[in-house]
Each structure stands twice: as structure tokens, then as C-alpha cells.
Amino acid sequence: MKQLMVLAVLLSTTLFANAQLTWQNVDSAFGPLPKGVHVYRTNTALAGKPNIAYYIELPLKNKQLSFDALTGNGKRFTPTQYFEQHASPLVVTNCTFFSFANNANLNMVVSHGQLKAYNTPSVKQGKDSTRFFYVTRSAIGISKKRKADVAWTYTDTALQYAYVWSKPSTGTGSHADPDLQDLISANPSLPKPVKWKMQTAVGGGPVVLEAGEVKVYNKEERMFVTGLQDKHPRTAMGYTADGKLIVLAVEGRNPGIAEGATLEQLGQMLKQMGCIEGLNLDGGGSSCLLINGKPTIKPSDKEGQRPVPAVFVVTTTSL
């Protein structure tokens, strides 16, 4: 059975590689757009299945563009509501995972250099276990110098900045809410973490692209551990070596029209766009990408756009 599963994964990858997606420029449907900003759409089948996806390409060095994250301050709003409440941003997309019970973000959010939301610090090893995995959830950040980075992060309300590792934590311990020293002690093989002084950042997970190669860190980040081949609507972000930020939305759960993507396929898509690092964000019914207030993919929830407690936004300014 294990050999058959491996074969299925390899076959899926081969089908994707042999049928590169064709992306069509659809700037005219979402304009006006600042210089260097472009929007693309594909309906090329993904491993033989119906597929619709959009992405927007944003040059990080374009000073007309301002990158930020917004939170609902304990409430959830639809992406369109964020658009209407915050001076009509060029881009609005969902980002963090969250709790339906209390609307809390489960991933970090940084706005104007300030931590506005924090990561889940740990997950239980088992239902009745007293041991915990000390998770370092992945995030994408943009610095004051307009450089993007994807990293595995740790946050704490007692710390001004997030701390990052070059690899995810594999450590365990007995504390449900570990501090930074707990994580360092539990991961002796990893280099010590460093401060991550990002101007803007949003978290999600898992990483699906590292150093230009598809690698899905679902097991290491303790996310979708048994769901590697599940197809869902997806939201993802990455960046290219020449300084372009990519925001990608994949439609799904729309039978016969768009079935969604696996995490591995998401990484392949980002790689095809030229990204060198990229990560999955909250997906499913949360997936939504607005460009100049206009929707791209069709939300999978029957009610339409799902209210979320945080969004990533790009606004434009006149120079």
C-alpha cells in the first residue's frame, strides 16, 4: 500500500510537469493597474482535473505600492468589507488560519512593524498526551527595504519581534505555551533563532517551495499531516529572485469547473511563476482574492465570501 501511495504522488507530479499551465494576461479586466503590476488567469487542467486560478504579480521595488496587513480587532469581515472600510486597496486577500470560536488569528500578523496577532505555540502530540510539539509556523514578510522572506517563526506577547529559524522546529516538551528558551532547548540541532524585523508579515503554512524547489513541510509544521493529496481552494504567496511578490488564488470545490489543488501542486504552480520561496495560507472557504475590489475566484462557501479576522492588502499611492 505504501508503494502504491508513493507511485500516486510521483504520477501526480509527472502529470503536472508534463502539462505546464498556460496563463493568460487579464490586466484589462482588473485595471487600472500600477506600472509593473500584472494579473494572470489559467483554466488549464491540473493533472487532468478542471482548474481555475489567478495570480497577481507585484514588483516590490515599486514605491507606488504599499504592503500591509489588516486585522478585524476581534471581529471577522469579508474581504469586500475590508476593501470598503480601508480606502479601496488594490489587492485584498485572506491570509491567516483562525478560530471560529473566538475569531482569533492562529498565525502571526505584522503591520507597520508591530505584531498584531500571534502564532499557535504548540500542538498536542496525542489526545491524552502531556507532551506537545513546539511548532514554528511559516510566514511571509516584507522588510523596510522591500525585500520578501519566508521563514519559520516564533512569536510571544512578551517579545517585540518575531524570531525565525531557517528550518522548522522538530522539538517537543511538556509546556503548552513554551517560551523562546523552551524552543531553543528543544531544538539543539538548529541554529539559534534571530529577530525577524519585518514591516509587514502574515502567517499560514505549510511552506510548499524552498530554494526554488517544491518541498511541502506539512509534517514538520503539523498541518494537514494526513491530507497531502487533498484538493481544496487555495491561497498562497511567494516571491521571485528578481523581486516580485506573487499572490495566488486557486478555485476549488466547484465540481466540473474547478476542483482545487493539492499542496504539492500549489508549490509547482509557484515554481512555474518563478518563485524561489512560497507558502500556503488559509484556504477552503476562506480563499478569496480581490483586485481593485473585483473578485477573481468564486468562493466555495455557498454564502459567498467568508468573513476572516485578517487580510493582506496592497494599496497604491501617487508619486
Side-chain angles (χ1 to χ4, degrees), residues 72 74-78 81-82 98-100 103-104 306-310:
K75 297 181 180 180
R76 292 192 288 132
F77 301 99
T78 66
Q81 288 173 323
Y82 282 107
F98 63 91
S99 166
F100 282 95
N103 300 329
R306 176 182 291 176
V308 294

Side-chain angles (χ1 to χ4, degrees), residues 113-133:
Q114 302 287 318
L115 275 163
K116 301 295 185 180
Y118 300 84
N119 289 338
T120 296
S122 67
V123 295
K124 244 183 177 182
Q125 281 192 269
K127 186 176 180 181
D128 300 318
S129 176
T130 59
R131 301 286 294 178
F132 297 86
F133 291 104

Side-chain angles (χ1 to χ4, degrees), residues 132-278:
F132 297 86
F133 291 104
Y134 291 165
V135 294
T136 46
R137 291 284 158 81
S138 51
I140 185 165
I142 301 168
S143 70
K144 282 186 176 181
K145 294 183 178 180
R146 294 175 168 265
K147 291 187 177 180
D149 184 35
V150 170
W152 287 279
T153 65
Y154 169 82
T155 60
D156 192 314
T157 56
L159 300 173
Q160 182 178 0
Y161 298 105
Y163 278 73
V164 298
W165 277 263
S166 57
K167 292 290 182 182
S169 165
T170 57
T172 63
S174 58
H175 299 151
D177 192 12
D179 61 22
L180 184 60
Q181 189 54 52
D182 288 331
L183 261 81
I184 293 172
S185 298
N187 292 277
S189 63
L190 293 182
K192 287 189 176 181
V194 296
K195 289 180 182 178
W196 204 44
K197 296 183 179 181
M198 292 290 122
Q199 188 70 4
T200 301
V202 293
V207 165
V208 294
L209 185 69
E210 182 189 29
E213 297 300 327
V214 176
K215 183 165 184 183
V216 180
Y217 282 88
N218 61 321
K219 290 184 179 179
E220 293 84 348
E221 295 186 45
R222 299 289 155 182
M223 302 185 75
F224 313 108
V225 175
T226 61
L228 189 60
Q229 294 305 307
D230 292 348
K231 286 176 172 284
H232 295 292
R234 303 284 184 185
T235 302
M237 291 175 66
Y239 67 93
T240 66
D242 59 353
K244 293 171 184 172
L245 184 72
I246 302 295
V247 183
L248 167 66
V250 182
E251 190 171 320
R253 300 178 186 168
N254 192 351
I257 298 173
E259 297 197 6
T262 68
L263 291 170
E264 185 176 19
Q265 288 169 341
L266 198 68
Q268 293 283 0
M269 294 168 83
L270 291 171
K271 180 178 180 179
Q272 188 187 111
M273 296 164 197
C275 290
I276 54 175
E277 290 192 316

Side-chain angles (χ1 to χ4, degrees), residues 95-107:
C95 49
T96 58
F97 293 86
F98 63 91
S99 166
F100 282 95
N102 59 9
N103 300 329
N105 289 291
L106 301 178
N107 302 95

